[in-house]
Amino acid sequence: MPPQQPLLEPEEDTAYDSSEKVVVAVGVEDEYGDDVEAPPFSWKKLWLFTGPGFLMSIAFLDPGNLEGDLQSGAIAGYSLLWLLMWATLMGLLIQLLSARLGVATGRHLAELCREEYPPWARIVLWLMTELALIGSDIQEVIGSAIAIRILSNGFVPLWAGVVITALDCFIFLFLENYGVRKLEAFFAVLIGIMALSFAWMFGEAKPNGVDVLLGVLVPKLSSRTIKQAVGVVGCIIMPHNVFLHSALVQSRQIDQSKKGRVQEALNYYSIESTLALAVSFIINIFVTTVFAKGFYGTEIADSIGLVNAGTYLQEKYGGGLFPILYIWGIGLLAAGQSSTITGTYAGQFIMGGFLNLRLKKWVRALITRCCAIIPTMIVALIFDTSEESLDILNEWLNVLQSVQIPFALIPLLCLVSKEQIMGTFRIGPVLKVY
């Protein structure tokens, strides 16, 4: 009787196999070019490097962010737009450091934490990261379930929407078989759907441009909006996303032994990450200003949440050419589905990196999915009949993300500033303190 095939992969676990990586060479100079200086800028190469930053940006657009946006707009009006902008810029800086770590070392953050820290520290970091991931995944899956309920006219209950959303890991595995670029194209379509949906809502609401500009440029904060402010920061800077980006950048073939090639990759990733987060910032602005224009200063402002937002939008802005309730539902579904799939992606890297689990991808995806779906199903069954309680839970989950940020940020800053790990690409003390 032949021996049973093990689930473990025979070779060392990496973020991507060499056969999966995208080839970014476009000419003879890429084969024989200078090892020290980065080659000149190329639009074709920028296109080949474009993808990881947009996958990373989805964490800035998940249902938790939409919850933070709409509550910020309804309760604080335009006054927290400046915080949204600065949180996005700080998020960009953190994600660029994450990309820098991944490109320069060829290893992602979870792997380096396993290698560099003692067992007790590894376990603490892993548990905190998993807690943050589960918290964000609850919001993402619930957000998708709410969108499904909206688009089905209430026919599909919340728990059933959670079950449907749980199947997205199979969509992920299916797309993964067709290569990294196909997966990235799928997410680009979902981001496009979000942009169109929320831009449509922005057009229906017609917020005052001067008020929006003042909200972005003039800092304001009051004791009444402290919780919303903390939520804005927490839902923008996601701990698991720091781990994810350091792995995503390894989807391109980069020769770490050549300084010029590493610098070239960092240059292109900086450009595409900046573009991706600029798009996410605009989409978040759309959502915040729609709710600021419609509900700020009203009696119902404090009671608006992800669950009832569509109903309030419909009552405020009406049907129009296409009912705004369904526009909101489509955008929310795109946000929920894209973020749950990237959450599965992040969970694989985090679990495999911290625990050195060299499992087959489908096994890892299934384990990661179950870790999030089981608590989400419990939440759905408990809060299905209590919209107010579900919205309060979502608010506190955003606050949880804020509390968890140091458990990703401190290891990142420590590792990316070590010369023995980063070589000449380590960051200086000024950037580290900043």
Side-chain angles (χ1 to χ4, degrees):
M1 183 175 179
Q4 188 176 4
Q5 291 294 323
L7 290 177
L8 294 180
E9 295 176 349
E11 54 189 43
E12 184 183 356
D13 185 51
T14 56
Y16 295 90
D17 296 332
S18 57
S19 60
E20 297 175 313
K21 295 187 177 183
V22 177
V23 178
V24 293
V26 296
V28 176
E29 72 278 2
D30 281 303
E31 190 173 350
Y32 303 104
D34 191 340
D35 289 352
V36 178
E37 297 296 328
F41 178 81
S42 163
W43 287 105
K44 185 174 182 180
K45 272 202 170 181
L46 178 60
W47 171 248
L48 291 172
F49 275 101
T50 297
F54 282 88
L55 263 71
M56 169 272 295
S57 74
I58 286 170
F60 290 69
L61 296 167
D62 70 359
N65 279 277
L66 302 185
E67 175 99 22
D69 290 341
L70 67 88
Q71 290 178 341
S72 170
I75 296 172
Y78 305 105
S79 66
L80 293 181
L81 291 180
W82 66 275
L83 185 61
L84 176 63
M85 180 186 70
W86 283 106
T88 303
L89 289 173
M90 184 57 68
L92 173 61
L93 175 60
I94 292 170
Q95 296 303 150
L96 291 180
L97 292 178
S98 175
R100 190 181 191 87
L101 183 73
V103 171
T105 65
R107 313 281 281 173
H108 58 80
L109 181 55
E111 291 175 318
L112 289 168
C113 286
R114 186 189 76 234
E115 294 170 0
E116 297 295 323
Y117 293 123
W120 69 267
R122 292 201 307 263
I123 296 298
V124 169
L125 289 173
W126 173 60
L127 290 175
M128 292 298 102
T129 306
E130 288 289 352
L131 180 62
L133 181 59
I134 290 171
S136 67
D137 220 7
I138 289 174
Q139 292 177 304
E140 292 156 2
V141 174
I142 291 292
S144 289
I146 292 170
I148 291 170
R149 187 166 70 178
I150 289 172
L151 296 174
S152 67
N153 286 320
F155 178 76
V156 179
L158 203 61
W159 67 266
V162 170
V163 174
I164 294 170
T165 305
L167 301 177
D168 62 14
C169 69
F170 297 105
I171 299 173
F172 162 70
L173 292 170
F174 173 77
L175 290 170
E176 217 182 12
N177 289 330
Y178 287 90
V180 172
R181 296 295 275 175
K182 299 292 191 304
L183 189 65
E184 291 168 351
F186 174 72
F187 286 114
V189 170
L190 292 177
I191 292 173
I193 291 172
M194 281 186 268
L196 288 173
S197 298
F198 300 133
W200 187 316
M201 289 170 48
F202 184 83
E204 291 284 334
K206 298 180 178 63
N208 186 290
V210 174
D211 290 340
V212 174
L213 188 62
L214 288 174
V216 171
L217 298 178
V218 180
K220 291 181 182 178
L221 189 63
S222 68
S223 58
R224 184 172 178 268
T225 59
I226 286 293
K227 188 165 74 170
Q228 283 69 42
V230 173
V232 165
V233 175
C235 65
I236 285 291
I237 303 175
M238 307 288 279
H240 73 270
N241 208 37
V242 179
F243 288 87
L244 175 64
H245 200 196
S246 64
L248 290 175
V249 294
Q250 295 175 47
S251 60
R252 271 59 176 172
Q253 284 188 359
I254 301 164
D255 187 349
Q256 273 83 21
S257 66
K258 297 180 180 180
K259 181 179 177 182
R261 299 305 175 204
V262 174
Q263 187 59 57
E264 176 190 44
L266 293 176
N267 293 343
Y268 286 119
Y269 281 137
S270 296
I271 295 170
E272 70 113 13
S273 295
T274 302
L275 292 173
L277 290 195
V279 171
S280 75
F281 174 64
I282 292 169
I283 293 174
N284 283 316
I285 285 282
F286 286 159
V287 177
T288 303
T289 53
V290 164
F291 284 88
K293 174 66 186 297
F295 306 104
Y296 176 61
T298 64
E299 294 181 356
I300 61 172
D302 290 325
S303 61
I304 297 178
L306 205 61
V307 177
N308 56 23
T311 303
Y312 283 126
L313 284 170
Q314 186 70 15
E315 292 174 357
K316 181 68 180 181
Y317 298 110
L321 180 63
F322 194 72
I324 199 168
L325 172 65
Y326 297 115
I327 296 292
W328 167 252
I330 291 169
L332 180 59
L333 182 62
Q337 284 298 307
S338 59
S339 56
T340 53
I341 297 175
T342 54
T344 302
Y345 217 3
Q348 289 191 50
F349 294 131
I350 290 167
M351 183 175 291
F354 273 113
L355 304 182
N356 196 24
L357 294 177
R358 294 183 285 121
L359 300 173
K360 288 184 178 294
K361 289 185 177 180
W362 68 268
V363 177
R364 230 184 303 175
L366 211 57
I367 294 173
T368 303
R369 207 80 215 97
C370 290
C371 287
I373 289 301
I374 292 173
T376 305
M377 183 62 75
I378 294 171
V379 169
L381 291 172
I382 292 175
F383 293 102
D384 193 17
T385 57
S386 178
E387 295 183 355
E388 184 179 350
S389 298
L390 186 57
D391 286 328
I392 292 172
L393 174 67
N394 274 325
E395 288 181 43
W396 284 108
L397 286 174
N398 280 339
V399 174
L400 171 67
Q401 298 300 319
S402 296
V403 175
Q404 297 294 89
I405 289 172
F407 293 100
L409 189 54
I410 292 174
L412 173 66
L413 292 175
C414 290
L415 293 170
V416 84
S417 60
K418 282 189 176 181
E419 185 174 4
Q420 60 268 38
I421 294 175
M422 298 292 294
T424 58
F425 292 98
R426 74 187 189 282
I427 63 171
V430 174
L431 182 58
K432 184 179 178 181
V433 171
Y434 176 78

